């Protein structure tokens, strides 16, 4: 039998406890992996072991797919109407609300983000997303299409069947909600793999899924590594669609595996190197505050982070001064400490990756204006870092760092900054700051990005689509747009009197 994880918090910001199984969740039950091997889950704040979870292999993915297919054919899919699916999703959201602080504490422990951010942003947004799709469950329908009086023609939006979902470690529960919400609302059965770095909130959700009353097999969670369990999902002949959020490099592998197997449908939400453009006429104080949020939110571990900050030459010096002061005010420390703004990076691997980029920036001649070093003596903490004096071909300017590291770039005019901003293989998001709304909108429309924020940054809502241009992905998450990721349109022609 799989082991149970139990933990008790007695911290300045949260006092409570949790207990749940760390096995694979297949057909409504926690089970050991076929090989009975485990994966260590590490606390990024101190590098110590939190617990061990079961490791899923290809055989376990097969078991999960079989359970999902059975549920889809019998108790779920077309056998569970939209009203019933909506009712179950709403019940799940209510249970999440009841356990919001517990879920936030698990997220902070597992990921390293602060308890306050986890509770007020990640958990709240996750609940809102599930509620949003609860409302869509009985409203995603086709239409009658007029031809002539001899024929009735209509369309149906039908679930795909068994879908695979692979989510990242930067927003574990939120990405869980973004994936399962539209998939369940449209009647699909799920095999989901969370990141091996941050699997705990997904495992805790399994108990809530059972409590809400979802049929066994409608949601299956397989905790494993990307090159085994993730690859098995991407290449499985009986999974009809795979949705992946993560790096562009891995996204290519997912797409390749999907193409080589059964040519399954693919949606990808991938990396970014988002430009943040600040014109001379911007409200300087607000631009500084939003730019700091755009760059340092979630410790810089956000695909839409505004890591390339373009500042017009007339305010560059003043912006740099105020932005530096703002960054110095960020308080690093224990995710459960009072007043902590930034916790550790998620893992040793990620810490090393970020530091290698910082070293690269220094070696290529950029100026580490602020930070660029470790914070503290334990855990994976990196001080907020600002580079200046960069060149367009530097790695820190071109590649996604996924940490609290940004570059400040001076620009001359609109034509100059639009050319620089679009000079990237990515196209996920962008921000524009100007009090001239015409200039701001004209610039936003010229930027090659799936999301453009005007006088703000990193604003996401469950009813507004999110996704990228170019190598930042395929398809859209959130809102009505995400429903099409999980349905096929069937056209039905009924002869009412057409004679041959």
């Amino acid at each position: 039998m799989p082991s149970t994880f139990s933990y008790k918090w007695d911290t300045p910001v949260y006092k409570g406890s949790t207990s749940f199984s760390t096995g694979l969740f297949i057909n409504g039950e926690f089970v050991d992996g076929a090989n009975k091997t485990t994966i260590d889950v590490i606390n990024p704040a101190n590098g110590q072991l939190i617990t061990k979870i079961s490791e899923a292999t290809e055989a376990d993915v097969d078991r999960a797919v079989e359970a999902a297919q059975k549920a889809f054919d019998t108790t779920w899919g077309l056998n569970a109407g939209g009203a019933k699916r909506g009712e179950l999703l709403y019940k799940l959201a209510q249970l999440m609300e009841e356990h919001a602080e517990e879920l936030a504490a698990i997220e902070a422990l597992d990921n390293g983000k602060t308890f306050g951010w986890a509770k007020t942003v990640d958990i709240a947004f996750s609940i809102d997303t599930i509620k949003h799709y609860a409302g869509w469950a009985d409203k995603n329908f086709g239409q009658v299409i007029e031809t002539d009086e001899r024929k009735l023609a209509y369309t149906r939006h039908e679930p795909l069947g068994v879908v695979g979902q692979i989510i990242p470690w930067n927003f574990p529960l939120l990405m869980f909600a973004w994936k399962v919400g539209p998939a369940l609302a449209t009647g699909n059965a799920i095999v989901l793999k969370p990141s091996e770095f941050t699997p705990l909130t997904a495992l805790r959700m399994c108990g809530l899924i059972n409590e809400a009353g979802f049929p066994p097999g409608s949601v299956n969670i397989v905790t494993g590594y990307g090159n085994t369990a993730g690859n098995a999902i991407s290449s499985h002949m009986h999974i009809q669609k795979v949705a992946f959020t993560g790096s562009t490099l891995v996204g290519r592998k997912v797409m390749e595996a999907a193409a080589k197997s059964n040519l399954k449908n693919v949606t990808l939400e991938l990396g970014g190197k988002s430009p943040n453009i600040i014109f001379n006429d911007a409200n300087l104080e607000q631009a500084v505050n939003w730019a700091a949020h755009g760059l340092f939110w979630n410790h810089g571990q956000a695909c839409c982070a505004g890591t390339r900050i373009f500042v017009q030459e007339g305010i560059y010096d003043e912006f740099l001064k105020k932005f530096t002061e703002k960054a110095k005010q960020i308080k690093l420390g224990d995710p459960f400490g009072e007043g902590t703004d930034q916790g550790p990076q998620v893992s040793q691997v990620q810490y090393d990756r970020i530091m290698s980029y910082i070293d690269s920036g220094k070696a290529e001649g950029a100026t580490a204006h602020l930070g660029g070093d470790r914070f503290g003596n334990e855990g994976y903490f990196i001080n907020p870092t600002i580079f200046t004096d960069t060149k367009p071909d530097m790695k820190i300017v071109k590649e996604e760092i996924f940490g609290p590291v940004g570059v400040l770039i001076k620009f001359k005019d609109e034509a100059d900054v639009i050319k620089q901003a679009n000079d990237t293989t990515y196209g996920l998001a962008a921000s524009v700051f100007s009090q001239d709304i015409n200039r701001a909108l004209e610039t936003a429309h010229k930027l090659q990005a799936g999301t453009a924020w005007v006088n703000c940054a990193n604003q996401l809502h469950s009813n507004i689509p999110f996704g990228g241009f170019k190598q930042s992905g395929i398809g859209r998450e959130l809102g009505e747009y995400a429903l099409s990721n999980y349905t096929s349109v069937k056209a039905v022609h009924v002869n009412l009197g057409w004679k041959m």
Side-chain angles (χ1 to χ4, degrees), residues 136-149:
W136 269 114
D138 63 351
K139 300 175 185 66
N140 180 37
F141 35 70
Q143 58 182 316
V144 174
I145 303 172
E146 182 181 354
T147 55
D148 62 42
E149 291 304 306

Side-chain angles (χ1 to χ4, degrees), residues 134-453:
W136 269 114
D138 63 351
K139 300 175 185 66
N140 180 37
F141 35 70
Q143 58 182 316
V144 174
I145 303 172
E146 182 181 354
T147 55
D148 62 42
E149 291 304 306
R150 296 171 297 172
K151 178 190 282 190
L152 168 65
Y154 61 92
T155 58
R156 287 162 54 90
H157 294 181
E158 297 185 354
L160 300 175
V162 178
V163 300
Q165 302 179 321
I166 304 171
I167 61 175
W169 46 256
N170 57 334
F171 295 98
L173 186 60
L174 187 56
M175 294 300 98
F176 181 98
W178 282 24
K179 292 291 187 290
V180 305
L184 291 175
T186 49
N188 297 276
I190 294 169
V191 177
L192 181 146
K193 190 195 89 66
S195 168
E196 64 272 20
F197 291 115
T198 55
L200 298 184
T201 42
L203 292 174
R204 179 64 186 96
M205 285 295 294
C206 296
L208 302 185
I209 286 167
N210 275 349
E211 189 176 346
F214 284 89
S218 55
V219 180
N220 304 273
I221 308 298
V222 288
T223 50
Y225 294 109
N227 59 359
T228 50
N231 183 65
I233 289 172
S234 302
S235 60
H236 204 287
M237 292 298 293
H238 299 296
I239 289 178
Q240 304 307 318
K241 184 254 169 33
V242 61
F244 170 79
T245 297
S247 71
T248 299
L249 176 64
V250 178
R252 285 195 181 95
K253 294 179 181 179
V254 169
M255 196 170 185
E256 182 180 6
K260 286 183 176 179
S261 55
N262 58 347
L263 205 63
K264 61 174 63 64
N265 190 352
V266 174
T267 54
L268 305 172
E269 198 270 277
L270 306 176
K273 192 72 177 175
S274 299
N276 182 355
I277 298 170
I278 301 168
F279 285 102
N280 283 336
D281 68 344
N283 179 317
L284 190 57
E285 181 180 354
Q286 285 301 308
V288 166
N289 290 339
W290 280 111
H293 175 66
L295 173 57
F296 297 122
W297 176 48
N298 205 49
H299 322 165
Q301 296 171 155
C303 50
C304 55
T307 54
R308 292 184 298 147
I309 303 173
F310 295 93
V311 185
Q312 198 163 14
E313 54 190 11
I315 60 166
Y316 179 88
D317 291 341
E318 186 66 15
F319 179 91
L320 176 60
K321 176 184 174 183
K322 290 183 177 296
F323 189 64
T324 303
E325 293 170 355
K326 182 73 176 179
K328 286 180 177 178
Q329 293 170 10
I330 296 173
K331 181 181 177 182
L332 278 71
D334 180 2
F336 293 93
E338 288 185 302
T340 302
D341 299 310
Q342 178 180 318
Q345 309 307 131
V346 74
S347 66
Q348 183 72 57
V349 170
Q350 188 61 17
Y351 172 89
D352 291 342
R353 183 176 185 272
I354 295 166
M355 291 305 298
S356 72
Y357 273 106
I358 291 172
D359 291 342
S360 167
K362 294 174 180 177
E364 291 184 348
T367 299
H369 174 78
L370 180 72
D373 55 353
R374 179 189 183 95
F375 172 83
N377 347 329
E378 65 175 6
Y380 314 127
F381 294 86
I382 296 177
N383 279 307
T385 300
I386 301 169
F387 275 102
T388 58
D389 304 316
T390 61
K391 295 179 180 178
D393 60 348
M394 290 181 175
K395 285 181 65 176
I396 58 171
V397 177
K398 296 182 73 67
E399 298 182 15
E400 184 177 42
I401 299 173
F402 225 64
V405 182
V407 298
L408 257 66
I409 302 167
K410 186 185 297 185
F411 75 91
K412 182 179 178 64
D413 54 31
E414 292 171 47
D416 174 31
V417 75
I418 289 168
K419 180 180 179 182
Q420 290 192 70
N422 287 336
D423 184 20
T424 174
T425 59
Y426 296 111
L428 190 57
S431 292
V432 180
F433 288 85
S434 172
Q435 294 185 82
D436 181 338
I437 194 63
N438 290 332
R439 169 188 284 165
L441 290 177
E442 286 174 6
T443 303
H445 293 172
K446 292 175 183 177
L447 295 171
Q448 297 164 358
T451 294
W453 292 296

Side-chain angles (χ1 to χ4, degrees), residues 17-31:
S17 62
T18 192
S19 182
F20 53 90
S21 175
T22 57
L24 311 179
F25 184 68
I26 298 175
N27 203 34
E29 297 178 337
F30 285 101
V31 296

